[in-house]
Amino acid sequence: MQPTTRRLANAIRGLAMDAVEAANSGHPGMPMGMADAATALFTRHVKYDPAHPFWPDRDRFVLSAGHGSMLLYALLYLTGYERPTIDDIKHFRQLGSPTAGHPENFEMPGIEVTTGPLGQGVAMSVGMAIAERHLNATYGDDLVDHHTYVIAGDGCLMEGVNHEAVGLAGHLQLGRLIVLWDDNNITIDGSTELSRNEDIIARYEASKWHTVECDGLDADDVSRAIREAHADSRPSLIRCKTIIGFGAPHKQGTAATHGSALGADEVAAAKKELDISEEPFSVPEDVLTAWRTFGKRGAVDRAQWNERLEASGRKDEFLSRLNGKVSDAWLKPYLDKLLADLKPIATRKASENALEAINAAIPATIGGSADLTGSNNTKTKNIEPLTPENYGGRYIYYGIREFGMSAAMNGMALHGGVIPYGGTFLVFTDYARPAIRLSALQRARVIYVMTHDSIGLGEDGPTHQPIEHLQSLRAMPQLEVYRPADAVETAECWALALQSEEPSILALTRQNLTPLRTEAASENLCARGGYRLKSAGNPRKIIFIATGSEVEIAMGAAKLLEEQGIGADVVSMPCTERFDAQPREYREDVLPDVSNREILRVSVEAGTTFGWERYTGLHGLRIGIDRFGVSAKAEDAYNYFGLTPNKIAQRVTDFMKQRGIQ
Ligand SMILES: Cc1ncc(C[n+]2csc(CCOP(=O)(O)OP(=O)(O)O)c2C)c(N)n1
Ligand SMILES: [Mg+2]
C-alpha cells in the first residue's frame, strides 16, 4: 500500500527534528509546519530530475525562508539527489558538510539560490521568472516552459524588498511565479501580532497578484491552491495556514520551535504523536521508496524535452546560451573605431557606446535601470523594453527599486541563459547592498552599472556623492569593482566583467574625461587591475596611484612635478582586486617595495582615503575626501577638495620637504 501523504511529510519532520537535535542548532519549526505543503509540491507539481539537477527546463524552487534549510535538505535527500546523503544530514551545520546552516547554491546541485537573508529569495525568484519568460519568448514553449515556486515565511513578506519584488512581479505579470506563504503567525519575537497588522492578501491583490488560501497542513488542499495558481495568468500568492513546529505536542504553535532544538523529550513526544520511529535519521523503507519513485517522475518530462531539443534545430545555440560563455570578439573592432576618433567623454557615455557593441554581439544581455536610464546610459538603441506584451525585450524599467532590481538580477543570473546588467547611482549601492553581497557570495554574474561615481556629479550634493562606497565595496569578497579612467578602459572593464564568473561593479563618471589611452595595446591592460600608464621622465621619486576620473588629474600633477625635475610614474588602478591577484613580480614592478624615502607613493581618488595605505604604505601620501561632499559644480567641488593638478603637485612637494625626501 502506498504510504499516505502525511507519512511522506512526516519523514521531513523527523529528519528536521533529528538534524537540529544532533547539531543542537537550527530551525525545526518551519520544516515541520510546511512539510505537507512541500510534499504536495515535490510529489505532484514541481518538475525536476534529481539525476539531472541542471536540466535547463526544470522548475525552479526557492526556499526563501532559508532558515528552514532542513526542509530543502530533506527534500533533496528523499527525492534522490546525489547529495545530501543521510550522512550529510547527520552532519547538518558542521564544518565541511554541504548541509550548511542556510541553503547555499554552491554547495549542492538542487539548491538554486542562497537564502537566509529574509526577503531576498522571493526577490530573486522574480528574476528567475523574468529569465524564464524571456527565454520562452526567445526559444518557444518546446524548450523553455517552467514555473518558479517559492516558500516564504512571515519574515520574507515583511522585509522592504518584498514590496519592491511584489510590485515588479505584478507589473510584469509573471504568471509562472508561485509563492507559498507559510502563514504561521509566528516570528522569533513571538506572535506576528507584536509587529504586523497589515492585510497581506489585500496588498498583493493591489499589486496585481492572484491570491488563494489553503490549509497548509493538508496536502490535497495545497494542491488545489496550486492548481488555481496555475490557472491564473497573474503571479500567485498561496496563503498556507500552518502551525509552526507541527507535531511537537508541547511546543507547536510557539516561537520556541523557530530556531532551537526541541530537546530529547519533546522530540520523543513528537515522534509518538506523528507515529514515526524513535530511531534518529531513520526513514521507513516504504516511505523512502515512495519518495524515490516520486523523484523519478521528472525523468520522463526530461526525456521528452531532450527529444524536442534534438528536433529543434537550435540545440547548440540553446546549450551554449545556457552555459553562459561569451566571446569578447566585439572588443577589438570597437577599440579600433574608438581610437580613430578620440574625444573627451564621460565614462557613463563610454559605457553606453561599449554596450551598443556588446548588446549587438551578445544576445544574452538584459539591461535595465532603477529609473535612471538617461543618467546611467544603460539603454542602447538596439534593444527593446521587456514588457508583458514583449518578454523578448532586453531592457527592464525596474522603477525606483534598487534592491529589488539587484536581487532580481541575481535570480536572472542564477537561472542561466541571461546576463543581467543594471544601473543606478553609485551612492545607492547602499540601497542595493544586501543583494550585491548575495551576488558575490553566490558568484552570480551580475554587472552593476553605477554612475555618478564621485563629487564629480556636482550640484546634487552630498546626499548623492559617494565617499566611502568604493572602498567599502572593494572590501567585499568575490566582487570586482572597476573604476575605468577613460573610454578605452571602460570598454576593457566591460569585457572583463562579461568574462568573469563573479559579479562586477562599474563605477562610472557623470563628467567628461580626457582620453588617456590613445594607442592600441596588445592586451587588455585593465586585466592586470593596475598598470603603469606613464613612466617617470626624470629619476623616479613619485608613484601616483589613481583611479577613474582622478587618473587624468594625477597625470596633470605628474607633469607639473616633472617640470620641477621630479620623476613621477602614474599607475592607473581600475580594479584593485585584479591587481592584488597578479604575480608578485608584476606587482613589485609597478609598485616597487622600497622605502618611502626613495620613492613616495601617492594615492589619488575622490573618495575616502581609508584603506589606501594598502598601496601607499603607512608613510605614503593619500589624497582623497574624508568627509561628506558639497553641493557645487563639479569643477568647484574638485577645486574645493584640492583635487587639481596644481594643488596635488603642491601637496606632494610640501610632503617631500616635510619628510626630508630629496
Ligand atoms: C534580513 C534578515 N533579518 C533577520 C534575520 C534573522 N531571522 C531569521 S528567521 C527570522 C524570523 C522569521 O520569521 P518567519 O519568516 O515567520 O519564520 P518562522 O519563524 O515562521 O519560521 C529572523 C528575524 C534574517 N535571517 N534575515
Ligand atoms: Mg512565521
Side-chain angles (χ1 to χ4, degrees), residues 120 402-403 406-407 409-410 424 426 428-444 446 448 450 473 476-481 503-505:
Q120 288 202 61
E402 295 82 7
F403 189 5
S406 305
M409 291 199 292
N410 281 336
T424 180
L426 181 64
F428 299 135
T429 51
D430 286 344
Y431 276 53
R433 195 176 175 101
I436 297 173
R437 188 166 194 273
L438 273 193
S439 307
L441 181 60
Q442 301 183 96
R443 290 188 194 273
V446 172
Y448 294 93
M450 299 304 190
L473 290 163
M476 199 182 286
Q478 296 175 191
L479 172 72
E480 284 164 4
V481 179
S504 302
I505 289 187

mmCIF file of all heavy atoms in Angstrom, residues 120 402-403 406-407 409-410 424 426 428-444 446 448 450 473 476-481 503-505:
data_model
loop_
_atom_site.group_PDB
_atom_site.id
_atom_site.type_symbol
_atom_site.label_atom_id
_atom_site.label_comp_id
_atom_site.label_asym_id
_atom_site.label_seq_id
_atom_site.Cartn_x
_atom_site.Cartn_y
_atom_site.Cartn_z
ATOM 1 N N GLN A 120 14.994 38.106 0.307
ATOM 2 C CA GLN A 120 15.712 38.099 -0.969
ATOM 3 C C GLN A 120 15.381 36.887 -1.838
ATOM 4 O O GLN A 120 15.524 36.943 -3.057
ATOM 5 C CB GLN A 120 17.225 38.181 -0.738
ATOM 6 C CG GLN A 120 17.658 39.553 -0.271
ATOM 7 C CD GLN A 120 19.132 39.804 -0.550
ATOM 8 O OE1 GLN A 120 19.580 39.803 -1.677
ATOM 9 N NE2 GLN A 120 19.894 40.039 0.511
ATOM 10 N N GLU A 402 16.046 49.788 -6.230
ATOM 11 C CA GLU A 402 17.447 49.380 -6.396
ATOM 12 C C GLU A 402 17.701 47.986 -5.829
ATOM 13 O O GLU A 402 18.398 47.170 -6.436
ATOM 14 C CB GLU A 402 18.385 50.391 -5.706
ATOM 15 C CG GLU A 402 18.379 51.792 -6.311
ATOM 16 C CD GLU A 402 17.213 52.651 -5.830
ATOM 17 O OE1 GLU A 402 16.470 52.226 -4.914
ATOM 18 O OE2 GLU A 402 17.033 53.765 -6.366
ATOM 19 N N PHE A 403 17.153 47.734 -4.659
ATOM 20 C CA PHE A 403 17.360 46.440 -4.004
ATOM 21 C C PHE A 403 16.625 45.345 -4.797
ATOM 22 O O PHE A 403 17.176 44.292 -5.125
ATOM 23 C CB PHE A 403 16.862 46.534 -2.555
ATOM 24 C CG PHE A 403 17.175 45.359 -1.659
ATOM 25 C CD1 PHE A 403 17.947 44.294 -2.070
ATOM 26 C CD2 PHE A 403 16.685 45.356 -0.346
ATOM 27 C CE1 PHE A 403 18.217 43.225 -1.211
ATOM 28 C CE2 PHE A 403 16.953 44.306 0.515
ATOM 29 C CZ PHE A 403 17.706 43.228 0.073
ATOM 30 N N SER A 406 18.424 44.571 -7.995
ATOM 31 C CA SER A 406 19.670 43.822 -7.814
ATOM 32 C C SER A 406 19.379 42.367 -7.462
ATOM 33 O O SER A 406 20.030 41.449 -7.966
ATOM 34 C CB SER A 406 20.519 44.493 -6.733
ATOM 35 O OG SER A 406 20.716 45.858 -7.068
ATOM 36 N N ALA A 407 18.384 42.171 -6.603
ATOM 37 C CA ALA A 407 18.017 40.793 -6.248
ATOM 38 C C ALA A 407 17.449 40.071 -7.467
ATOM 39 O O ALA A 407 17.761 38.901 -7.717
ATOM 40 C CB ALA A 407 17.013 40.801 -5.102
ATOM 41 N N MET A 409 18.223 40.633 -10.490
ATOM 42 C CA MET A 409 19.354 40.311 -11.371
ATOM 43 C C MET A 409 20.084 39.064 -10.882
ATOM 44 O O MET A 409 20.537 38.251 -11.683
ATOM 45 C CB MET A 409 20.303 41.505 -11.492
ATOM 46 C CG MET A 409 19.687 42.668 -12.270
ATOM 47 S SD MET A 409 20.905 43.850 -12.912
ATOM 48 C CE MET A 409 21.533 44.590 -11.416
ATOM 49 N N ASN A 410 20.184 38.898 -9.563
ATOM 50 C CA ASN A 410 20.775 37.654 -9.039
ATOM 51 C C ASN A 410 19.976 36.446 -9.518
ATOM 52 O O ASN A 410 20.536 35.448 -9.946
ATOM 53 C CB ASN A 410 20.794 37.660 -7.507
ATOM 54 C CG ASN A 410 21.929 38.499 -6.949
ATOM 55 O OD1 ASN A 410 22.939 38.708 -7.612
ATOM 56 N ND2 ASN A 410 21.766 38.979 -5.720
ATOM 57 N N THR A 424 22.190 52.283 -11.359
ATOM 58 C CA THR A 424 21.675 53.356 -10.520
ATOM 59 C C THR A 424 22.889 54.233 -10.216
ATOM 60 O O THR A 424 23.943 54.080 -10.834
ATOM 61 C CB THR A 424 20.993 52.834 -9.234
ATOM 62 O OG1 THR A 424 20.518 53.970 -8.470
ATOM 63 C CG2 THR A 424 21.930 52.024 -8.347
ATOM 64 N N LEU A 426 26.058 55.380 -7.996
ATOM 65 C CA LEU A 426 26.967 54.612 -7.129
ATOM 66 C C LEU A 426 26.587 54.754 -5.651
ATOM 67 O O LEU A 426 26.681 53.799 -4.883
ATOM 68 C CB LEU A 426 28.422 55.040 -7.351
ATOM 69 C CG LEU A 426 29.466 54.289 -6.509
ATOM 70 C CD1 LEU A 426 29.515 52.806 -6.858
ATOM 71 C CD2 LEU A 426 30.852 54.910 -6.680
ATOM 72 N N PHE A 428 23.833 54.850 -4.362
ATOM 73 C CA PHE A 428 22.698 53.999 -3.996
ATOM 74 C C PHE A 428 23.035 52.502 -4.034
ATOM 75 O O PHE A 428 22.142 51.663 -3.912
ATOM 76 C CB PHE A 428 21.473 54.327 -4.851
ATOM 77 C CG PHE A 428 21.014 55.747 -4.682
ATOM 78 C CD1 PHE A 428 20.666 56.530 -5.777
ATOM 79 C CD2 PHE A 428 20.967 56.333 -3.423
ATOM 80 C CE1 PHE A 428 20.270 57.857 -5.620
ATOM 81 C CE2 PHE A 428 20.569 57.662 -3.261
ATOM 82 C CZ PHE A 428 20.228 58.426 -4.359
ATOM 83 N N THR A 429 24.317 52.193 -4.162
ATOM 84 C CA THR A 429 24.691 50.807 -3.880
ATOM 85 C C THR A 429 24.305 50.492 -2.442
ATOM 86 O O THR A 429 24.102 49.335 -2.095
ATOM 87 C CB THR A 429 26.205 50.552 -4.059
ATOM 88 O OG1 THR A 429 26.927 51.528 -3.325
ATOM 89 C CG2 THR A 429 26.593 50.586 -5.529
ATOM 90 N N ASP A 430 24.194 51.526 -1.615
ATOM 91 C CA ASP A 430 23.740 51.301 -0.242
ATOM 92 C C ASP A 430 22.338 50.681 -0.219
ATOM 93 O O ASP A 430 22.031 49.868 0.650
ATOM 94 C CB ASP A 430 23.703 52.616 0.537
ATOM 95 C CG ASP A 430 25.092 53.109 0.902
ATOM 96 O OD1 ASP A 430 26.040 52.299 0.832
ATOM 97 O OD2 ASP A 430 25.232 54.296 1.239
ATOM 98 N N TYR A 431 21.492 51.112 -1.151
ATOM 99 C CA TYR A 431 20.135 50.562 -1.216
ATOM 100 C C TYR A 431 20.140 49.141 -1.789
ATOM 101 O O TYR A 431 19.191 48.393 -1.601
ATOM 102 C CB TYR A 431 19.247 51.462 -2.097
ATOM 103 C CG TYR A 431 18.643 52.652 -1.368
ATOM 104 C CD1 TYR A 431 19.425 53.536 -0.646
ATOM 105 C CD2 TYR A 431 17.266 52.886 -1.425
ATOM 106 C CE1 TYR A 431 18.867 54.625 0.004
ATOM 107 C CE2 TYR A 431 16.696 53.974 -0.772
ATOM 108 C CZ TYR A 431 17.508 54.840 -0.056
ATOM 109 O OH TYR A 431 16.945 55.908 0.585
ATOM 110 N N ALA A 432 21.176 48.820 -2.530
ATOM 111 C CA ALA A 432 21.236 47.524 -3.220
ATOM 112 C C ALA A 432 22.168 46.545 -2.518
ATOM 113 O O ALA A 432 22.240 45.378 -2.868
ATOM 114 C CB ALA A 432 21.713 47.736 -4.652
ATOM 115 N N ARG A 433 22.833 47.037 -1.509
ATOM 116 C CA ARG A 433 23.980 46.306 -0.970
ATOM 117 C C ARG A 433 23.709 44.862 -0.515
ATOM 118 O O ARG A 433 24.508 43.967 -0.786
ATOM 119 C CB ARG A 433 24.582 47.118 0.184
ATOM 120 C CG ARG A 433 25.953 46.622 0.556
ATOM 121 C CD ARG A 433 26.575 47.490 1.635
ATOM 122 N NE ARG A 433 27.804 46.882 1.998
ATOM 123 C CZ ARG A 433 29.009 47.271 1.583
ATOM 124 N NH1 ARG A 433 29.130 48.330 0.828
ATOM 125 N NH2 ARG A 433 30.081 46.625 1.930
ATOM 126 N N PRO A 434 22.587 44.591 0.156
ATOM 127 C CA PRO A 434 22.374 43.202 0.574
ATOM 128 C C PRO A 434 22.311 42.246 -0.619
ATOM 129 O O PRO A 434 22.707 41.081 -0.507
ATOM 130 C CB PRO A 434 21.027 43.254 1.295
ATOM 131 C CG PRO A 434 20.822 44.688 1.661
ATOM 132 C CD PRO A 434 21.505 45.491 0.595
ATOM 133 N N ALA A 435 21.812 42.742 -1.739
ATOM 134 C CA ALA A 435 21.756 41.887 -2.939
ATOM 135 C C ALA A 435 23.126 41.799 -3.592
ATOM 136 O O ALA A 435 23.487 40.754 -4.138
ATOM 137 C CB ALA A 435 20.735 42.425 -3.935
ATOM 138 N N ILE A 436 23.889 42.882 -3.532
ATOM 139 C CA ILE A 436 25.251 42.830 -4.082
ATOM 140 C C ILE A 436 26.050 41.788 -3.302
ATOM 141 O O ILE A 436 26.796 40.994 -3.867
ATOM 142 C CB ILE A 436 25.935 44.214 -4.006
ATOM 143 C CG1 ILE A 436 25.177 45.225 -4.872
ATOM 144 C CG2 ILE A 436 27.393 44.126 -4.432
ATOM 145 C CD1 ILE A 436 25.669 46.667 -4.746
ATOM 146 N N ARG A 437 25.838 41.772 -2.010
ATOM 147 C CA ARG A 437 26.555 40.788 -1.185
ATOM 148 C C ARG A 437 26.161 39.361 -1.584
ATOM 149 O O ARG A 437 27.002 38.469 -1.653
ATOM 150 C CB ARG A 437 26.257 41.035 0.299
ATOM 151 C CG ARG A 437 27.109 40.187 1.220
ATOM 152 C CD ARG A 437 27.039 40.691 2.658
ATOM 153 N NE ARG A 437 28.094 40.108 3.459
ATOM 154 C CZ ARG A 437 28.013 38.932 4.092
ATOM 155 N NH1 ARG A 437 26.898 38.225 4.026
ATOM 156 N NH2 ARG A 437 29.025 38.476 4.782
ATOM 157 N N LEU A 438 24.882 39.168 -1.868
ATOM 158 C CA LEU A 438 24.469 37.828 -2.302
ATOM 159 C C LEU A 438 24.954 37.512 -3.713
ATOM 160 O O LEU A 438 25.204 36.355 -4.042
ATOM 161 C CB LEU A 438 22.957 37.654 -2.198
ATOM 162 C CG LEU A 438 22.421 37.197 -0.842
ATOM 163 C CD1 LEU A 438 20.957 36.761 -0.971
ATOM 164 C CD2 LEU A 438 23.226 36.050 -0.236
ATOM 165 N N SER A 439 25.096 38.529 -4.567
ATOM 166 C CA SER A 439 25.714 38.279 -5.887
ATOM 167 C C SER A 439 27.095 37.706 -5.668
ATOM 168 O O SER A 439 27.507 36.731 -6.305
ATOM 169 C CB SER A 439 25.897 39.567 -6.698
ATOM 170 O OG SER A 439 24.747 40.314 -6.842
ATOM 171 N N ALA A 440 27.831 38.335 -4.754
ATOM 172 C CA ALA A 440 29.214 37.936 -4.518
ATOM 173 C C ALA A 440 29.277 36.546 -3.894
ATOM 174 O O ALA A 440 29.988 35.674 -4.379
ATOM 175 C CB ALA A 440 29.902 38.966 -3.626
ATOM 176 N N LEU A 441 28.497 36.343 -2.858
ATOM 177 C CA LEU A 441 28.523 35.040 -2.174
ATOM 178 C C LEU A 441 28.145 33.908 -3.130
ATOM 179 O O LEU A 441 28.743 32.834 -3.116
ATOM 180 C CB LEU A 441 27.571 35.080 -0.971
ATOM 181 C CG LEU A 441 27.474 33.812 -0.125
ATOM 182 C CD1 LEU A 441 28.809 33.430 0.478
ATOM 183 C CD2 LEU A 441 26.431 33.991 0.993
ATOM 184 N N GLN A 442 27.167 34.187 -3.972
ATOM 185 C CA GLN A 442 26.670 33.144 -4.885
ATOM 186 C C GLN A 442 27.452 33.067 -6.185
ATOM 187 O O GLN A 442 27.156 32.242 -7.029
ATOM 188 C CB GLN A 442 25.207 33.419 -5.248
ATOM 189 C CG GLN A 442 24.291 33.475 -4.059
ATOM 190 C CD GLN A 442 22.844 33.678 -4.482
ATOM 191 O OE1 GLN A 442 22.079 32.738 -4.605
ATOM 192 N NE2 GLN A 442 22.459 34.916 -4.718
ATOM 193 N N ARG A 443 28.392 33.971 -6.374
ATOM 194 C CA ARG A 443 29.095 34.109 -7.655
ATOM 195 C C ARG A 443 28.101 34.206 -8.809
ATOM 196 O O ARG A 443 28.143 33.424 -9.772
ATOM 197 C CB ARG A 443 30.045 32.934 -7.895
ATOM 198 C CG ARG A 443 31.253 32.930 -6.980
ATOM 199 C CD ARG A 443 32.235 31.854 -7.412
ATOM 200 N NE ARG A 443 33.230 31.586 -6.387
ATOM 201 C CZ ARG A 443 34.368 32.261 -6.261
ATOM 202 N NH1 ARG A 443 34.672 33.234 -7.094
ATOM 203 N NH2 ARG A 443 35.211 31.965 -5.290
ATOM 204 N N ALA A 444 27.220 35.155 -8.691
ATOM 205 C CA ALA A 444 26.252 35.393 -9.761
ATOM 206 C C ALA A 444 26.834 36.471 -10.672
ATOM 207 O O ALA A 444 27.234 37.531 -10.194
ATOM 208 C CB ALA A 444 24.917 35.854 -9.176
ATOM 209 N N VAL A 446 26.423 39.235 -12.248
ATOM 210 C CA VAL A 446 25.575 40.412 -12.374
ATOM 211 C C VAL A 446 26.520 41.590 -12.585
ATOM 212 O O VAL A 446 27.555 41.676 -11.926
ATOM 213 C CB VAL A 446 24.754 40.628 -11.089
ATOM 214 C CG1 VAL A 446 24.019 41.968 -11.125
ATOM 215 C CG2 VAL A 446 23.770 39.482 -10.890
ATOM 216 N N TYR A 448 26.841 45.531 -12.339
ATOM 217 C CA TYR A 448 26.228 46.737 -11.790
ATOM 218 C C TYR A 448 26.840 47.951 -12.472
ATOM 219 O O TYR A 448 28.057 48.149 -12.423
ATOM 220 C CB TYR A 448 26.473 46.808 -10.286
ATOM 221 C CG TYR A 448 25.772 45.710 -9.514
ATOM 222 C CD1 TYR A 448 26.413 44.518 -9.206
ATOM 223 C CD2 TYR A 448 24.449 45.865 -9.114
ATOM 224 C CE1 TYR A 448 25.760 43.506 -8.507
ATOM 225 C CE2 TYR A 448 23.789 44.860 -8.413
ATOM 226 C CZ TYR A 448 24.450 43.689 -8.109
ATOM 227 O OH TYR A 448 23.792 42.700 -7.419
ATOM 228 N N MET A 450 27.177 51.528 -12.152
ATOM 229 C CA MET A 450 26.954 52.527 -11.122
ATOM 230 C C MET A 450 27.605 53.845 -11.538
ATOM 231 O O MET A 450 28.831 53.989 -11.491
ATOM 232 C CB MET A 450 27.522 52.030 -9.792
ATOM 233 C CG MET A 450 26.864 50.738 -9.316
ATOM 234 S SD MET A 450 25.065 50.924 -9.176
ATOM 235 C CE MET A 450 24.584 49.433 -8.327
ATOM 236 N N LEU A 473 32.948 48.716 -1.026
ATOM 237 C CA LEU A 473 32.633 47.647 -1.991
ATOM 238 C C LEU A 473 33.870 46.804 -2.294
ATOM 239 O O LEU A 473 33.789 45.593 -2.471
ATOM 240 C CB LEU A 473 32.049 48.238 -3.271
ATOM 241 C CG LEU A 473 30.639 48.826 -3.095
ATOM 242 C CD1 LEU A 473 30.282 49.747 -4.241
ATOM 243 C CD2 LEU A 473 29.594 47.721 -2.950
ATOM 244 N N MET A 476 34.465 43.854 -0.129
ATOM 245 C CA MET A 476 33.591 42.676 -0.229
ATOM 246 C C MET A 476 34.284 41.567 -1.028
ATOM 247 O O MET A 476 34.744 41.815 -2.142
ATOM 248 C CB MET A 476 32.275 43.077 -0.904
ATOM 249 C CG MET A 476 31.159 42.096 -0.665
ATOM 250 S SD MET A 476 29.636 42.564 -1.517
ATOM 251 C CE MET A 476 29.046 43.926 -0.514
ATOM 252 N N PRO A 477 34.368 40.360 -0.479
ATOM 253 C CA PRO A 477 34.995 39.264 -1.226
ATOM 254 C C PRO A 477 34.199 38.905 -2.490
ATOM 255 O O PRO A 477 32.988 39.133 -2.545
ATOM 256 C CB PRO A 477 34.955 38.082 -0.251
ATOM 257 C CG PRO A 477 34.637 38.657 1.081
ATOM 258 C CD PRO A 477 33.905 39.930 0.850
ATOM 259 N N GLN A 478 34.894 38.372 -3.473
ATOM 260 C CA GLN A 478 34.268 37.815 -4.678
ATOM 261 C C GLN A 478 33.452 38.832 -5.471
ATOM 262 O O GLN A 478 32.486 38.492 -6.148
ATOM 263 C CB GLN A 478 33.391 36.596 -4.324
ATOM 264 C CG GLN A 478 34.226 35.461 -3.777
ATOM 265 C CD GLN A 478 33.447 34.248 -3.289
ATOM 266 O OE1 GLN A 478 34.026 33.379 -2.652
ATOM 267 N NE2 GLN A 478 32.170 34.149 -3.557
ATOM 268 N N LEU A 479 33.858 40.088 -5.357
ATOM 269 C CA LEU A 479 33.209 41.147 -6.134
ATOM 270 C C LEU A 479 34.316 41.964 -6.783
ATOM 271 O O LEU A 479 35.276 42.341 -6.111
ATOM 272 C CB LEU A 479 32.376 42.044 -5.206
ATOM 273 C CG LEU A 479 31.796 43.313 -5.832
ATOM 274 C CD1 LEU A 479 30.660 42.974 -6.798
ATOM 275 C CD2 LEU A 479 31.276 44.263 -4.740
ATOM 276 N N GLU A 480 34.183 42.214 -8.078
ATOM 277 C CA GLU A 480 35.191 43.033 -8.742
ATOM 278 C C GLU A 480 34.650 44.432 -8.952
ATOM 279 O O GLU A 480 33.588 44.624 -9.535
ATOM 280 C CB GLU A 480 35.597 42.380 -10.073
ATOM 281 C CG GLU A 480 36.523 41.202 -9.816
ATOM 282 C CD GLU A 480 36.691 40.269 -10.986
ATOM 283 O OE1 GLU A 480 36.154 40.548 -12.068
ATOM 284 O OE2 GLU A 480 37.372 39.243 -10.791
ATOM 285 N N VAL A 481 35.382 45.402 -8.413
ATOM 286 C CA VAL A 481 34.984 46.805 -8.544
ATOM 287 C C VAL A 481 35.895 47.460 -9.572
ATOM 288 O O VAL A 481 37.112 47.462 -9.406
ATOM 289 C CB VAL A 481 35.117 47.530 -7.192
ATOM 290 C CG1 VAL A 481 34.724 48.999 -7.337
ATOM 291 C CG2 VAL A 481 34.261 46.850 -6.129
ATOM 292 N N PRO A 503 30.350 38.693 -9.812
ATOM 293 C CA PRO A 503 29.700 39.962 -10.109
ATOM 294 C C PRO A 503 30.725 41.083 -10.216
ATOM 295 O O PRO A 503 31.813 40.995 -9.648
ATOM 296 C CB PRO A 503 28.801 40.181 -8.890
ATOM 297 C CG PRO A 503 29.436 39.403 -7.798
ATOM 298 C CD PRO A 503 30.090 38.224 -8.451
ATOM 299 N N SER A 504 30.347 42.114 -10.945
ATOM 300 C CA SER A 504 31.235 43.267 -11.118
ATOM 301 C C SER A 504 30.453 44.544 -10.905
ATOM 302 O O SER A 504 29.255 44.599 -11.188
ATOM 303 C CB SER A 504 31.792 43.311 -12.542
ATOM 304 O OG SER A 504 32.481 42.130 -12.848
ATOM 305 N N ILE A 505 31.176 45.534 -10.433
ATOM 306 C CA ILE A 505 30.603 46.877 -10.356
ATOM 307 C C ILE A 505 31.432 47.782 -11.247
ATOM 308 O O ILE A 505 32.665 47.798 -11.142
ATOM 309 C CB ILE A 505 30.614 47.386 -8.908
ATOM 310 C CG1 ILE A 505 29.578 46.607 -8.099
ATOM 311 C CG2 ILE A 505 30.357 48.890 -8.853
ATOM 312 C CD1 ILE A 505 29.360 47.096 -6.698
#
